[in-house]
Amino acid sequence: MTDHVLRLLRQHAHLAELAAFPFDFDLRRAEHGEPVRLASGGPLRPVAGDDTGGTYFVCADGSVLYADSEGSAGIIGSSVDEALEIVIGLPGWRDHLDLSPSDGPEKILARVTETEDEFREDYGIDEARPELRAALGLSERSPVELIGMLHAALLRTEPDFLLLNAEEGCAYHLLDRHPRPPLWEQVLARGRADLAALRAGDRTVWDATAEDPVRRRLALRATQFDRADGDLELLRHLLHYESAAGLTDELRLAALLVGLRGRAEDLRPVYALRERDFDAACGLSDMPGPDADGAALREWAEELDDSLFGTDPADEPLCTWTELAADQGLTEVARTALIRRLDAIEMDQGLLRHPGAPKKPGKLDPSPLGALAQDFERLGDRVQALRAQRLYTALQDTEWDRVSARLTQARLERETGQLPQAGNTLAALRDILDSPADDSLRHLHRVNLGRFIAEEHYDLTRALADADLPEEARATLAAADEIRGRLSGAAATAVRERAEDVAERVRDQRDLV
């Protein structure tokens, strides 16, 4: 049906003219003006535009995404048919983005009537509308119904249809300002459902939830924000299984929720883990021992609760919810939240300042950017990871941190096919090594960082050779060999096989020339 309507407009000039004027759906304006893409990577086909510089795109499922010229975008219909019903039935639809069914028919009709009266002063919409609807086979719907359709479509924009500037990677703003449920609500939905079933005593759910690592974590998070006196048995059950997974944030959470009851015997799985696992012994070293009294356990649990957990999901760090979203397969939910956070930091680096810290230049904490880069990599989105990493690199203070950050940046540039940029980044890294401004790199060639730098140079050399860039490959190989020559014996030995393989690859390429 979508292609049918577009085909009619393309085949009949009169219909295309009516769509363009007075309804501002112009097939001749399908060029958006800047390269864009969906964050999800789905196809995006421009089909029309308007006289404000906005563009209508058709997505893989037929949904129509409208992007204006000011950096905002949103779904306005589940198909071209639906989008045209809205555009034709509400010629001032862009002025009604704030309306929703909750406003009621009276307010909706008054607003639409006012807008259409203004249109009638300049455009013959009453004559053109029925003709275009009939020719395209579109339904005649009331303004109230159309506002409901538009509202529902707009709310579908995120996460699957988040529009990005293809060159910069930043996201378009939402076209509307309607409230959305918080991220945690969507992520925690499964956990809350499982918690209700656990409390109902469904033993099949008890085992299925406890044995599934993701469901178990979600159920524990649900109990964090919905605590009940009768939860001790189910908490002990979940704690038993979580302790088998080693030290996790959810194990700490389960331990404190059980510890709040003040019974050391309920924490036996944690004590056993602490005995056999070094990380758990360190991470839970402040937990009172198995002979502790109830008051000491409760005091420990309350302090841990206050410092790391709490009862308000809105206070949890973003990474809690994006990691749980990704673990559930809600990749686009996680990606959207992370991109929005990265955009916010890029626009206002003051967000990197610790609360209460003096507002002085240079007093920023870049670690959230490093964490974002890692989160994007876990999602498989190296483009956004590189964007975060470049910002992170620019904010490093010591020469060690600058070198380490540039090393990761160069790897991401290489892995995304930006080989010249990777070469430039490694060149800047070498400049630091040659003339460091502090002594943080004094042991570089005796630790793993030196080895990793050499390995990345060899990896880039191979990539350059594979890309048929022999001169660049030879220059990078020479730099790699020089760095390898500075390494200690063990580090140099560890790199030797890679160095020999890459050198042979470069020689083979030279022989072919």
Side-chain angles (χ1 to χ4, degrees):
M1 180 65 78
T2 292
D3 288 338
H4 173 68
V5 170
L6 288 174
R7 189 162 53 250
L8 287 175
L9 291 176
R10 288 166 179 156
Q11 290 176 347
H12 300 280
H14 176 61
L15 297 181
E17 290 173 4
L18 284 178
F21 185 86
F23 300 108
D24 214 8
F25 186 90
D26 193 339
L27 300 182
R28 297 166 299 183
R29 296 178 179 267
E31 176 59 45
H32 185 55
E34 69 176 11
V36 293
R37 65 180 180 87
L38 292 179
S40 63
L44 200 61
R45 178 164 53 106
V47 294
D50 61 29
D51 61 9
T52 69
T55 309
Y56 297 91
F57 298 90
V58 176
C59 305
D61 69 343
S63 295
V64 174
L65 180 75
Y66 175 80
D68 67 21
S69 60
E70 303 299 322
S72 297
I75 295 293
I76 65 164
S78 61
S79 65
V80 173
D81 298 53
E82 186 174 298
L84 279 169
E85 286 179 1
I86 291 168
V87 168
I88 295 169
L90 299 171
W93 67 270
R94 288 184 293 270
D95 296 325
H96 302 322
L97 294 170
D98 61 321
L99 290 175
S100 74
S102 64
D103 289 310
E106 184 176 350
K107 179 178 179 179
I108 291 172
L109 291 173
R111 286 275 301 277
V112 172
T113 298
E114 179 182 2
T115 301
E116 291 204 351
D117 285 346
E118 294 175 359
F119 267 82
R120 288 187 179 94
E121 295 178 3
D122 301 305
Y123 312 117
I125 60 173
D126 293 322
E127 297 78 16
R129 182 152 50 195
E131 180 182 355
L132 190 55
R133 277 176 174 161
L136 299 179
L138 302 178
S139 300
E140 180 178 352
R141 304 182 189 273
S142 72
V144 173
E145 185 177 1
L146 292 172
I147 289 295
M149 292 164 55
L150 177 60
H151 179 259
L154 290 167
L155 294 182
R156 292 178 49 238
T157 303
E158 292 186 352
D160 294 323
F161 304 101
L162 180 67
L163 190 66
L164 305 180
N165 178 299
E167 294 178 345
E168 299 174 1
C170 55
Y172 275 54
H173 301 293
L174 287 171
L175 200 58
D176 67 278
R177 297 296 178 264
H178 294 300
R180 267 79 169 173
L183 173 63
W184 65 262
E185 190 171 298
Q186 182 175 359
V187 173
L188 207 56
R190 180 61 185 271
R192 297 166 93 180
D194 278 341
L195 177 58
L198 289 168
R199 286 173 172 168
D202 187 336
R203 303 306 298 190
T204 59
V205 174
W206 275 56
D207 292 337
T209 300
E211 293 170 2
D212 184 315
V214 176
R215 290 180 66 180
R216 185 174 67 242
R217 292 172 62 204
L218 288 167
L220 284 168
R221 287 294 179 176
T223 61
Q224 176 184 349
F225 308 113
D226 180 12
R227 306 183 185 189
D229 293 337
D231 284 348
L232 179 57
E233 185 180 1
L234 69 88
L235 285 171
R236 290 172 56 190
H237 188 65
L238 296 173
L239 175 65
H240 172 75
Y241 281 87
E242 190 63 25
S243 64
L247 182 64
T248 64
D249 286 342
E250 283 70 30
L251 177 64
R252 289 190 178 93
L253 172 61
L256 84 83
L257 291 173
V258 171
L260 286 171
R261 272 70 176 179
R263 290 162 37 109
E265 59 266 31
D266 293 331
L267 292 168
R268 285 176 186 148
V270 184
Y271 293 130
L273 174 66
R274 198 166 66 171
E275 287 293 323
R276 67 178 186 269
D277 186 276
F278 177 77
D279 289 339
C282 295
L284 294 169
S285 60
D286 59 342
M287 186 178 79
D291 58 347
D293 61 23
L297 269 179
R298 282 189 290 269
E299 181 180 3
W300 164 79
E302 288 169 358
E303 289 178 356
L304 182 61
D305 200 12
D306 289 341
S307 62
L308 290 183
F309 294 98
T311 58
D312 187 349
D315 291 339
E316 281 292 318
L318 177 66
C319 62
T320 296
W321 305 122
T322 55
E323 288 175 9
L324 286 171
D327 288 344
Q328 294 180 76
L330 302 174
T331 302
E332 296 313 317
V333 171
R335 192 199 314 271
T336 294
L338 293 171
I339 290 174
R340 291 295 189 196
R341 178 60 177 168
L342 179 54
D343 285 354
I345 293 174
E346 190 171 37
M347 291 295 294
D348 179 11
Q349 291 189 1
L351 295 172
L352 298 175
R353 186 175 289 110
H354 286 298
K359 295 185 177 180
K360 297 180 180 179
K363 297 297 182 180
L364 302 179
D365 174 17
S367 61
L369 287 168
L372 282 171
Q374 294 172 10
D375 290 340
F376 281 121
E377 276 213 81
R378 279 192 286 269
L379 292 179
D381 193 336
R382 289 188 176 90
V383 172
Q384 291 293 342
L386 175 56
R387 183 177 159 225
Q389 185 66 29
R390 283 172 170 161
L391 291 173
Y392 175 74
T393 298
L395 294 174
Q396 297 310 304
D397 291 331
T398 70
E399 298 292 60
W400 177 282
D401 290 337
R402 291 188 184 102
V403 165
S404 180
R406 278 172 172 77
L407 180 62
T408 300
Q409 179 178 325
R411 174 180 60 80
L412 289 169
E413 287 168 337
R414 171 176 56 80
E415 291 175 346
T416 54
Q418 301 181 46
L419 302 186
Q421 292 88 334
N424 292 337
T425 300
L426 289 182
L429 184 157
R430 294 194 300 274
D431 288 342
I432 296 174
L433 297 182
D434 292 339
S435 303
D438 59 41
D439 64 352
S440 60
L441 294 169
R442 62 187 180 279
H443 301 305
L444 173 71
H445 302 300
R446 297 199 296 271
V447 297
N448 280 332
L449 181 58
R451 169 188 167 186
F452 297 153
I453 291 170
E455 289 176 341
E456 183 55 39
H457 276 76
Y458 285 120
D459 288 343
L460 179 59
T461 300
R462 180 181 295 278
L464 289 165
D466 292 343
D468 197 23
L469 297 169
E471 293 184 12
E472 293 85 345
R474 287 193 291 272
T476 307
L477 177 60
D481 288 340
E482 181 181 355
I483 292 169
R484 178 173 172 249
R486 303 179 197 170
L487 298 179
S488 64
T493 300
V495 180
R496 183 178 61 192
E497 183 176 348
R498 188 180 310 213
E500 292 172 350
D501 289 344
V502 172
E504 182 178 356
R505 173 70 181 88
V506 173
R507 283 195 300 270
D508 290 344
Q509 185 183 52
R510 183 186 58 195
D511 292 342
L512 291 173
V513 176

